[in-house]
Amino acid sequence: MSLRPWRDIIRRPSRQIMVGTVPVGGDAPVTVQTMTNTPTPDIRATIDQIRRCEEAGVDIIRVSCPDVESTAALKQIVRGSRVPIVADIHFHYKRALEAADAGAACLRINPGNIGSSERVAEVVRAAKANGCSIRIGVNGGSLEKDLLEKYGEPCPDALVESALDHIKLLQDHDFHEYKVAVKASDLFLAVAAYQQLAEAVDCPLHLGITEAGGFVGGTVKSSIGIGSLLWYGIGDTIRVSLSAEPEDEVRVGFEILKALGIRNRGVRVVSCPSCARQGFDVIRTVQALEERLQHIRTPMSLSVLGCVVNGPGEARETDIGITGGGNGKHMVYLSGVTDHHVQDEGMIDHIVRLVEAKAAEIDAAEAEAAAAAQPVPAVTAA
């Protein structure tokens, strides 16, 4: 029995596939993806963008391959990436063959768009030969004409039927290393389609609300849609689709997972919206701390509260806390206990140093515990 059953999420069972070295589905952590938006043939710009996403924590990254120049560049991009690369293929099956040979860990395709059964078979053979998985990507904005005629509009039944049709094309060629997405810009449609698909298949599911919008609006829509599905236990990998930089998509994705307690990476900030009681500028302080603490990967918590109304209570639940006081003198909490005061001047630098020290302490303790858990080699007699 969990100590806090209201926080428990019972994850949908699914079989596991590999995207390069990253497991997806089964009991693997929910992974965070994004997609580059640089011209793929511009290898340097694409790798630079991948590097920024890696620093933000991305697990898997997708690269568009619409033409032969892109697949030609893919081999160097794959070599320059520290995370698995998914090649985004839409219509031309030869791009999928080239991407598989170039080292893509996964091919994002709709098998029905590839052409004849023999062309699908060629793609499957290339995927098997190169150890590629496949992501079937169904989208409410590009449903097949026959399904639109059958259902009259994009609806959950139409998205799921499309997904099942594409799955059958792969299964007919004895290919089972696939994951599926049924995305829509309408979050109600997407959520309903994923719920329906989750009951029909055992493969991993890739979650997303497509064309979600700009940074603020898209973050809200994605958090509601992706967050509610994850809360139901549905979802094995996610991509937050924003009209924003790819590394921002990664950060939002991790924030969704952190809010649900599914994955913890970096500093989880608890902060108040601020009011006239605040003893320091909470908004600017939080902005500065979030910016300066992006390099911290160790999971930990930091509370930043402007006054003593809720500050002490929140600080008791976090690793480090600060509560605003009078005359520019603020209380610092360590491991939930009042510890010392800090003045306005140098406060942000002080908190950054405390967080870095706490992260180092946690890392050292974990390393020591891991070393202690290693079996002691047996001593043999001479």
Side-chain angles (χ1 to χ4, degrees), residues 72-233:
L74 193 64
K75 183 174 287 189
Q76 284 183 257
I77 293 169
V78 167
R79 283 203 299 263
S81 175
R82 302 187 188 109
V83 298
I85 297 293
V86 178
D88 194 74
I89 312 294
H90 277 280
F91 298 108
H92 208 301
Y93 80 103
K94 285 190 176 179
R95 301 294 84 78
L97 306 181
E98 294 158 1
D101 289 340
C106 180
L107 305 174
R108 187 275 190 195
I109 63 171
N110 281 350
N113 292 344
I114 294 298
S116 66
S117 178
E118 179 49 39
R119 287 184 175 180
V120 174
E122 280 195 63
V123 173
V124 166
R125 283 195 292 270
K128 287 182 176 180
N130 291 280
C132 290
S133 56
I134 288 177
R135 197 260 275 190
I136 295 171
V138 175
N139 192 305
S142 56
L143 276 173
E144 296 88 333
K145 186 180 294 185
D146 63 318
L147 290 175
L148 286 175
E149 290 175 353
K150 177 179 178 179
Y151 291 100
E153 65 175 3
C155 63
D157 286 344
L159 267 67
V160 171
E161 184 171 332
S162 177
L164 295 177
D165 288 344
H166 291 309
I167 287 171
K168 186 175 186 303
L169 288 173
L170 294 184
Q171 290 180 333
D172 285 347
H173 294 286
D174 193 31
F175 190 86
H176 306 281
E177 297 301 301
Y178 57 82
K179 51 195 172 83
V180 184
V182 281
K183 295 185 178 183
S185 58
D186 179 338
L187 70 89
F188 295 96
L189 171 57
V191 169
Y194 276 112
Q195 289 175 321
Q196 188 171 323
L197 184 64
E199 296 181 357
V201 299
D202 69 344
C203 62
L205 297 183
H206 171 115
L207 302 188
I209 306 299
T210 196
E211 287 93 43
F215 185 78
V216 175
T219 293
V220 171
K221 283 181 66 175
S222 296
S223 298
I224 294 170
I226 295 173
S228 63
L229 286 164
L230 291 169
W231 203 341
Y232 297 146

Side-chain angles (χ1 to χ4, degrees), residues 33-38 40 49-50 53 58 60-65 86-90 108 135 239-242 244-247 249-250:
Q33 303 192 27
T34 188
M35 186 173 182
T36 58
N37 58 28
T38 52
T40 303
Q49 191 170 73
I50 289 171
C53 294
V58 76
I60 299 167
I61 196 157
R62 183 155 44 113
V63 174
S64 184
C65 293
V86 178
D88 194 74
I89 312 294
H90 277 280
R108 187 275 190 195
R135 197 260 275 190
R239 190 258 173 119
V240 178
S241 299
L242 303 176
E245 295 302 325
E247 55 266 39
E249 293 187 348
V250 176

Side-chain angles (χ1 to χ4, degrees), residues 168-323:
K168 186 175 186 303
L169 288 173
L170 294 184
Q171 290 180 333
D172 285 347
H173 294 286
D174 193 31
F175 190 86
H176 306 281
E177 297 301 301
Y178 57 82
K179 51 195 172 83
V180 184
V182 281
K183 295 185 178 183
S185 58
D186 179 338
L187 70 89
F188 295 96
L189 171 57
V191 169
Y194 276 112
Q195 289 175 321
Q196 188 171 323
L197 184 64
E199 296 181 357
V201 299
D202 69 344
C203 62
L205 297 183
H206 171 115
L207 302 188
I209 306 299
T210 196
E211 287 93 43
F215 185 78
V216 175
T219 293
V220 171
K221 283 181 66 175
S222 296
S223 298
I224 294 170
I226 295 173
S228 63
L229 286 164
L230 291 169
W231 203 341
Y232 297 146
I234 296 170
D236 304 286
T237 185
I238 68 172
R239 190 258 173 119
V240 178
S241 299
L242 303 176
S243 299
E245 295 302 325
E247 55 266 39
D248 289 330
E249 293 187 348
V250 176
R251 294 185 184 106
V252 172
F254 269 103
E255 288 300 323
I256 292 172
L257 296 180
K258 284 160 66 176
L260 291 167
I262 292 172
R263 275 185 78 177
N264 291 309
R265 180 189 184 278
V267 181
R268 177 176 62 87
V269 177
V270 177
S271 61
C272 68
S274 81
C275 69
R277 293 190 303 266
Q278 65 181 353
F280 57 85
D281 188 336
V282 172
I283 294 173
R284 250 57 64 183
T285 298
V286 170
Q287 288 173 344
L289 287 170
E290 287 183 334
E291 179 66 28
R292 292 187 55 184
L293 295 174
Q294 286 184 17
H295 66 290
I296 302 293
R297 300 195 174 198
T298 307
M300 58 183 300
S301 53
L302 167 67
S303 56
V304 182
L305 282 295
C307 74
V308 296
V309 174
N310 293 320
E314 295 291 352
R316 280 196 296 269
E317 303 297 324
T318 54
D319 294 302
I320 296 170
I322 184 162
T323 296

Side-chain angles (χ1 to χ4, degrees), residues 5-63:
W6 60 89
R7 291 185 181 176
D8 292 348
I9 293 175
I10 301 173
R11 192 168 170 189
R12 161 188 170 266
S14 71
R15 54 191 175 79
Q16 190 173 100
I17 68 168
M18 297 298 295
V19 177
T21 57
V22 175
V24 175
D27 59 355
V30 177
T31 54
V32 176
Q33 303 192 27
T34 188
M35 186 173 182
T36 58
N37 58 28
T38 52
T40 303
D42 188 339
I43 296 169
R44 184 71 266 156
T46 302
I47 291 176
D48 285 347
Q49 191 170 73
I50 289 171
R51 197 70 71 239
R52 292 193 295 274
C53 294
E54 290 169 345
E55 290 170 359
V58 76
D59 299 299
I60 299 167
I61 196 157
R62 183 155 44 113
V63 174

